[in-house]
């Protein structure tokens, strides 16, 4: 399987570094349904007050797709830059693009007129273009998670998909990762951190339900299957 091969390669690349790491404090600061506006509303409590050395931020799926929190791409860009400005005053910052989506599942759940004129895929692509642009502009390390997960097969309707679907989770989701999907994400984040900021000892993972670990064992914590939990194991076990 593609994702197992990639995880093995990433692990072998970083295994020699892992033993040299001091114990690292990981905080899961993901929250279901959040968009950039809601991250701004809780950034002082969930990020600044914790005084992390590094923040890993992934946000945008709800801004683009969640009808309760949907924004224009221009609004998303504005709020995203505000988040960057605040975080960089207090800590190092890594950004992640948002994961791939299964458009067919979205069509079953949501009236596509809400995503007019270009549709959900174009909205996700536009948001990820914003993340890449702002990462370069603000000199933030970028983990292009969308491209990594597409290389592992993307969000499909196969049982082996890295995203929750009918065959593997009995739900037409196509947006939230499975436990195996989180292993890929956690490994990619781990590699980026040890290669870029090897001396950090406190990390906040800041984002929405994808960071939270929606429907995963241990959701919202650093135990179980979310990517912060995977990250915690890789640093501390």
């Amino acid at each position: 399987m593609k994702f197992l091969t990639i995880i093995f390669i990433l692990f072998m690349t970083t295994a020699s570094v892992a033993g040299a790491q001091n114990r690292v404090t990981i905080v899961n600061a993901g929250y279901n349904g959040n968009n950039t506006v809601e991250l701004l509303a809780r950034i002082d409590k969930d990020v600044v007050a914790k005084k992390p050395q590094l923040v890993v931020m992934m946000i945008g799926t709800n801004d683009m797709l969640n009808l309760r929190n949907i924004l224009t791409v221009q609004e998303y860009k504005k709020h995203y830059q505000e988040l960057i400005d605040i975080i960089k005053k207090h800590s190092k910052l890594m950004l992640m693009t948002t994961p791939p989506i299964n458009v067919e599942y979205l069509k079953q759940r949501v009236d596509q007129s809400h995503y007019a004129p270009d549709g959900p895929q174009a909205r996700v692509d536009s948001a990820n273009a914003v993340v890449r642009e702002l990462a370069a502009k603000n000199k933030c390390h970028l983990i292009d998670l969308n491209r990594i997960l597409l290389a592992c097969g993307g969000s499909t309707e196969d049982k082996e998909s890295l995203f929750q679907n009918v065959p593997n989770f009995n739900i037409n989701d196509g947006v939230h990762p499975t436990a195996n999907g989180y292993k890929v994400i956690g490994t990619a984040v781990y590699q980026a951190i040890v290669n870029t900021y090897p001396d950090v000892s406190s990390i906040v993972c800041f984002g929405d339900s994808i960071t939270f670990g929606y429907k995963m064992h241990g959701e919202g914590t650093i135990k179980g299957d979310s990517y912060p939990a995977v990250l915690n194991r890789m640093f501390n076990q």
Side-chain angles (χ1 to χ4, degrees), residues 147-162:
R147 288 179 178 167
I148 291 170
L149 290 169
L150 283 173
C152 295
S155 182
T156 69
E157 296 175 45
D158 299 331
K159 185 175 182 179
E160 300 302 321
S161 175
L162 299 181

Side-chain angles (χ1 to χ4, degrees), residues 13-212:
T13 302
T14 59
S16 62
V17 184
Q21 296 296 306
N22 295 323
R23 185 164 183 83
V24 178
T25 300
I26 309 291
V27 174
N28 185 337
Y31 199 87
N32 288 342
N34 272 193
N35 66 3
T36 47
V37 175
E38 289 165 319
L39 259 61
L40 284 167
R42 62 184 179 90
I43 193 170
D44 287 340
K45 174 175 66 75
D46 290 343
V47 177
V48 176
K50 298 187 184 304
K51 299 181 180 179
Q53 293 179 334
L54 174 66
V55 175
V56 181
M57 183 168 72
M58 172 172 48
I59 189 69
T61 299
N62 291 304
D63 300 71
M64 296 298 107
L65 301 177
N66 187 329
L67 300 187
R68 183 177 68 84
N69 281 337
I70 199 165
L71 300 177
T72 67
V73 174
Q74 292 73 26
E75 290 170 327
Y76 172 71
K77 183 176 181 179
K78 175 180 179 292
H79 299 319
Y80 204 110
Q81 181 63 61
E82 291 171 351
L83 288 164
I84 291 172
D85 290 341
I86 295 170
I87 294 169
K88 288 198 71 178
K89 290 178 182 178
H90 301 277
S91 72
K92 300 176 177 67
L93 175 62
M94 281 186 170
L95 305 178
M96 284 198 281
T97 52
T98 63
I101 61 171
N102 186 311
V103 174
E104 292 306 311
Y105 278 153
L106 280 175
K107 287 180 179 178
Q108 294 174 28
R109 303 200 311 266
V110 182
D111 183 341
Q112 296 299 287
S113 65
H114 293 291
Y115 302 134
D118 299 319
Q121 185 63 61
R123 287 182 61 80
V124 170
D125 292 344
S126 295
N128 282 333
V130 166
V131 177
R132 294 179 185 114
E133 176 190 342
L134 294 183
K137 174 185 174 182
N138 293 279
K139 296 181 172 57
C140 298
H141 184 92
L142 175 68
I143 304 170
D144 202 337
L145 188 63
N146 189 275
R147 288 179 178 167
I148 291 170
L149 290 169
L150 283 173
C152 295
S155 182
T156 69
E157 296 175 45
D158 299 331
K159 185 175 182 179
E160 300 302 321
S161 175
L162 299 181
F163 292 82
Q164 297 172 28
N165 61 22
V166 173
N168 65 30
F169 227 79
N170 198 31
I171 185 172
N172 63 342
D173 185 303
V175 173
H176 298 94
T178 62
N180 283 332
Y182 277 117
K183 289 174 184 176
V184 174
I185 297 171
T187 304
V189 175
Y190 175 81
Q191 182 188 35
I193 293 171
V194 298
N195 287 346
T196 310
Y197 300 119
D199 298 323
V200 298
S201 59
S202 57
I203 302 166
V204 167
C205 302
F206 194 37
D208 56 24
S209 59
I210 297 173
T211 296
F212 182 80

